[in-house]
Amino acid sequence: MGNTLKEMQDIPGALQCYTRAIQINPAFADAHSNLASIHKDSGNIPEAIASYRMALKLKPNFPDAYCNLAHCLQIVCDWTDYEARMKKLVAIVAEQLEKNRLPSVHPHHSMLYPLSHDFRKAIAARHAQLCVEKVCVLHKQPYKYPKAINGRLRIAYVSSDFCNHPTSHLMQSIPGFHNRGTIEVFCYSLSPDDNTTFRAKIANEAEHFVDLSALPDNGKAADRINTDGIHILVNMNGYTKGARNEIFALRPAPIQVMWLGYPGTSGAPFMDYLVTDKVTSPLELASQYSEKLAYMPHTFFIGDHMQMFPHMIERVLIDNKDSPTVSDNVSIMNATDLTPIIDQAPEVKKIVTPVVTKDGRSVNDILEMHVIELPTTTAVETMLQTGQAHTSINGVVVQNGLMTNQTNSKTATGEEVPKNILITSRQQYNLPENAVVYCNFNQLYKLDPDTLQMWANILKRVPNGVIWLLRFPAVGEPHVLNAIHNMGLAANRIIFSSVAPKEEHVRRGQLADVCLDSPLCNGHTTGMDILWAGTPMVTLPAETLASRVAASQLMALGCPELVAKSKKEYEDISVKLGTDPHYLKSMRAKVWQLRLQAPLFNCQHYTSDLERLFRLMWGKFEKGEAVDHITELAA
């Protein structure tokens, strides 16, 4: 009953059933494992760990419990017996694949473990096969498709994340930027309306918006898509929460494409293309994917930051008149219009920074930034120390940047652009003003012992360096601090902050000097967030898609010098940025300027390129050609 209720999304009911089953039979290992999965899905990781351990104590050979426990330990950075755990996990997957069983490692977690590419693809393929088996019982006849375009090309995006979700934060402007003269845009939502501006924007700007959450029957949902005459059906979920890949398994459209929302292959015979780029998915690694690769010209990644956070296009620095040097990331003001504060300031000076290359050559680009020199910064410091919402600087009201949630919840979520001038300061996050602040704002599951060891090596070479992380989740913090202590560093070299609302999360990225990307699984949305804040990001691409996204973002931005080729180079680049103030200043100026000029954040340009890619896909289909890699746009 608990399993049935869980399938029906009745979590409290399922929890009650599993608890009762354990009361009836305390030695029932499956019930302990099922209870653990409820705790895991609800974010109660310590409880999940305890229940999985109990299940394994009762039934030592229990692959699902072992692999789910391994994932829970990954989430909280508990690396006790890490090597042995990884070895056993790989052995479990190998045995399950050999016996043609559904692997206990989920496709979305497979990039976190030292599995072979073949294993990762096979894990995804087993899940895809499960979708095929589920729809086989419907005994539906194959769909018929249009062989030629009668009017416009019909593109349809399918997602459970047309709501307040990172996927919408990335692509919410895309449906509206399509060329209505040649493209007819459909969006099929797999989730109900969450009454956010994100949902409303996509629903209003897509020509057709259909809520399929009200149609749980996958067969009928596929019928609807086919009846709408869709030419290209875009899967934005992959194996993420809320996916309904069974719809795609029924093949309601002639061309089916993976795009943006899932960092890996579907392993599915029913998905034709994966939209990517030559940096993220080089052709020599094409065997990782069941789909054919369709290359965007710059990067397959996109962010809606230009539209969501225009108040970060410019910034004004606050400086105490007596300070000998001015830092661009200690105390900052952001607003869509900063002229009131600039006009009222008694003294304003401009910072002009020549941008220099890694080898010291100067290039023409320069950065101009306004600095307001105050006789005293007491008013600002008092506001921050006492938690006031506002203060006045030269008669202009400015807002404490920590208070957006209290003053306007839609501003905090990123649904509305802030109307006030916001102050962001290192003081708010207990960051030392004179330190080199490295940051990483990913969930902690993306860390592994190798990554933390590289960071420890960097800190040992940058004596005034600290690393700023998020309590994401909070129970991971003591494990990370313990690990850094065992690597020979004081715990105060790592500074943790709580997870913040979206707007604050992006804006506070301006306070860091450098982002240290996690090579195991990169910052994807968080990578875009930190680059929009003007903070350089150092990355080390491996071979998985999830480990190469940051490199793709940096190449599209025009900062190839931040993409390392080895662990040593990753450390060396990070140390150079931390120990060479002129190079750091120059690199920060370069990122700050290029984010407005490069294609990385240009949604309109991106949509136009995506349309060109879709037309190439349709052209192949129309001519009766086999699905194959599309690389023309990446030349």
Side-chain angles (χ1 to χ4, degrees):
M1 188 187 278
N3 289 345
T4 304
L5 291 172
K6 188 186 176 193
E7 194 79 17
M8 293 166 64
Q9 306 297 314
D10 181 356
I11 303 305
L15 192 65
Q16 201 173 0
C17 287
Y18 295 146
T19 306
R20 182 74 187 117
I22 290 165
Q23 284 171 349
I24 295 165
N25 180 5
F28 189 12
D30 289 57
H32 286 283
S33 182
N34 288 338
L35 179 62
S37 70
I38 291 281
H39 285 312
K40 183 172 183 274
D41 293 347
S42 305
N44 303 322
I45 304 300
E47 292 91 333
I49 289 171
S51 289
Y52 281 130
R53 284 194 163 132
M54 177 58 76
L56 286 161
K57 191 176 175 184
L58 295 165
K59 189 165 87 174
N61 184 20
F62 194 166
D64 277 7
Y66 189 87
C67 293
N68 280 309
L69 173 62
H71 189 240
C72 286
L73 296 173
Q74 184 79 20
I75 288 169
V76 301
C77 299
D78 183 338
W79 299 326
T80 314
D81 299 325
Y82 185 81
E83 295 299 328
R85 189 197 310 161
M86 292 297 115
K87 201 171 174 181
K88 182 168 179 181
L89 190 139
V90 172
I92 287 172
V93 171
E95 186 183 352
Q96 290 177 323
L97 289 173
E98 193 182 336
K99 292 178 177 173
N100 206 24
R101 291 180 183 159
L102 186 72
S104 298
V105 169
H106 190 271
H108 197 190
H109 306 154
S110 64
M111 78 280 289
L112 302 174
Y113 311 127
L115 298 159
S116 68
H117 298 316
D118 286 346
F119 275 17
R120 290 194 187 97
K121 190 161 73 169
I123 290 168
R126 293 292 188 279
H127 281 261
Q129 184 57 33
L130 195 62
C131 295
V132 172
E133 288 165 11
K134 283 182 182 176
V135 299
C136 273
V137 299
L138 301 175
H139 300 295
K140 291 179 75 70
Q141 290 296 309
Y143 289 109
K144 292 184 170 60
Y145 315 123
K147 285 290 180 190
I149 296 175
N150 183 15
R152 295 176 291 164
L153 185 66
R154 293 184 166 200
I155 308 296
Y157 298 97
V158 182
S159 178
S160 65
D161 301 327
F162 296 138
C163 55
N164 183 11
H165 185 277
T167 298
S168 285
H169 303 165
L170 296 174
M171 57 67 64
Q172 62 170 340
S173 290
I174 301 289
F177 277 140
H178 273 299
N179 180 352
R180 288 285 179 90
T182 58
I183 304 288
E184 193 171 351
V185 180
F186 292 72
C187 285
Y188 296 104
S189 177
L190 304 179
S191 60
D193 192 349
D194 67 344
N195 298 310
T196 60
T197 308
F198 301 112
R199 170 72 162 222
K201 179 180 171 68
I202 294 168
N204 294 335
E205 294 182 6
E207 205 166 337
H208 310 275
F209 189 90
V210 182
D211 186 353
L212 288 182
S213 69
L215 195 61
D217 183 314
N218 290 318
K220 287 179 180 171
D223 288 344
R224 169 65 198 262
I225 291 167
N226 184 256
T227 303
D228 285 339
I230 301 304
H231 298 114
I232 298 177
L233 190 66
V234 182
N235 184 340
M236 293 175 59
N237 269 97
Y239 297 110
T240 60
K241 189 178 177 183
R244 284 170 65 182
N245 290 307
E246 294 82 1
I247 294 171
F248 290 86
L250 286 162
R251 273 205 166 270
I255 300 171
Q256 301 196 151
V257 181
M258 298 284 290
W259 176 63
L260 195 64
Y262 180 70
T265 184
S266 68
F270 48 81
M271 297 307 304
D272 302 308
Y273 294 101
L274 183 140
V275 175
T276 182
D277 57 74
K278 64 182 180 183
V279 175
T280 305
S281 310
L283 277 179
E284 59 266 27
L285 299 178
S287 61
Q288 289 184 31
Y289 306 94
S290 59
E291 307 86 358
K292 296 300 180 185
L293 306 177
Y295 284 170
M296 287 288 281
H298 307 290
T299 175
F300 83 96
F301 222 79
I302 189 61
D304 201 53
H305 298 65
M306 194 92 70
Q307 285 70 235
M308 276 178 75
F309 308 115
H311 60 297
M312 286 175 59
I313 286 174
E314 291 184 26
R315 61 186 173 194
V316 162
L317 312 179
I318 305 172
D319 184 37
N320 188 323
K321 201 173 181 184
D322 298 329
S323 71
T325 57
V326 180
S327 172
D328 71 348
N329 60 359
V330 168
S331 200
I332 304 159
M333 286 189 282
N334 296 105
T336 48
D337 181 11
L338 287 162
T339 49
I341 198 83
I342 293 169
D343 290 347
Q344 293 302 315
E347 283 194 58
V348 179
K349 66 181 181 185
K350 282 185 180 179
I351 296 179
V352 178
T353 307
V355 176
V356 296
T357 59
K358 195 175 181 180
D359 59 7
R361 286 183 299 110
S362 188
V363 291
N364 295 328
D365 296 324
I366 58 168
L367 172 79
E368 284 193 353
M369 208 173 291
H370 290 95
V371 182
I372 293 177
E373 293 199 326
L374 301 175
T376 172
T377 53
T378 304
V380 174
E381 285 165 15
T382 302
M383 174 183 75
L384 301 180
Q385 283 166 1
T386 59
Q388 288 172 243
H390 302 89
T391 192
S392 174
I393 297 178
N394 302 322
V396 179
V397 174
V398 295
Q399 182 183 312
N400 183 340
L402 290 180
M403 296 291 162
T404 51
N405 222 2
Q406 286 88 332
T407 55
N408 184 337
S409 61
K410 283 196 177 291
T411 295
T413 56
E415 295 171 75
E416 289 181 6
V417 178
K419 295 182 173 62
N420 303 329
I421 296 173
L422 299 175
I423 287 194
T424 315
S425 164
R426 285 192 175 186
Q427 191 180 331
Q428 292 166 322
Y429 302 99
N430 299 313
L431 298 170
E433 288 194 5
N434 298 317
V436 173
V437 176
Y438 295 100
C439 77
N440 183 294
F441 291 160
N442 290 328
Q443 293 187 56
L444 295 177
Y445 76 79
K446 295 187 176 185
L447 294 188
D448 64 344
D450 274 0
T451 299
L452 197 66
Q453 186 62 65
M454 284 197 296
W455 293 357
N457 296 344
I458 292 162
L459 290 183
K460 284 171 185 175
R461 294 168 64 190
V462 184
N464 66 329
V466 296
I467 294 180
W468 184 19
L469 302 176
L470 298 187
R471 298 183 182 100
F472 204 179
V475 288
E477 181 178 355
H479 292 295
V480 174
L481 294 177
N482 183 53
I484 207 79
H485 172 76
N486 291 339
M487 291 173 183
L489 285 168
N492 65 3
R493 302 294 296 278
I494 305 272
I495 296 169
F496 276 90
S497 287
S498 296
V499 175
K502 179 73 179 188
E503 186 279 332
E504 182 194 332
H505 156 75
V506 178
R507 175 168 42 82
R508 70 182 176 183
Q510 296 172 106
L511 300 174
D513 289 292
V514 180
C515 171
L516 297 177
D517 185 39
S518 40
L520 180 69
C521 181
N522 299 163
H524 298 169
T525 306
T526 49
M528 298 296 278
D529 294 340
I530 203 70
L531 291 172
W532 183 248
T535 299
M537 172 171 64
V538 183
T539 193
L540 173 61
E543 290 201 335
T544 63
L545 187 154
S547 73
R548 301 182 66 85
V549 172
S552 172
Q553 293 168 349
L554 287 165
M555 297 298 271
L557 186 65
C559 296
E561 62 269 53
L562 296 175
V563 180
K565 295 181 179 66
S566 65
K567 288 180 182 180
K568 182 182 182 301
E569 194 177 9
Y570 177 96
E571 292 178 18
D572 289 347
I573 294 168
S574 305
V575 169
K576 182 173 172 61
L577 287 164
T579 54
D580 183 338
H582 294 296
Y583 184 57
L584 175 63
K585 198 173 182 184
S586 164
M587 202 67 235
R588 290 180 58 77
K590 183 178 180 181
V591 172
W592 181 256
Q593 190 166 69
L594 285 179
R595 73 205 169 106
L596 302 179
Q597 299 170 351
L600 186 61
F601 292 99
N602 191 329
C603 285
Q604 195 154 10
H605 206 123
Y606 181 95
T607 309
S608 175
D609 287 335
L610 194 58
E611 288 177 6
R612 288 163 63 207
L613 195 58
F614 287 153
R615 289 210 171 276
L616 289 169
M617 292 176 190
W618 181 257
K620 278 184 174 299
F621 174 78
E622 212 169 27
K623 291 175 197 163
E625 294 177 9
V627 172
D628 202 357
H629 303 308
I630 299 176
T631 60
E632 290 94 314
L633 301 186

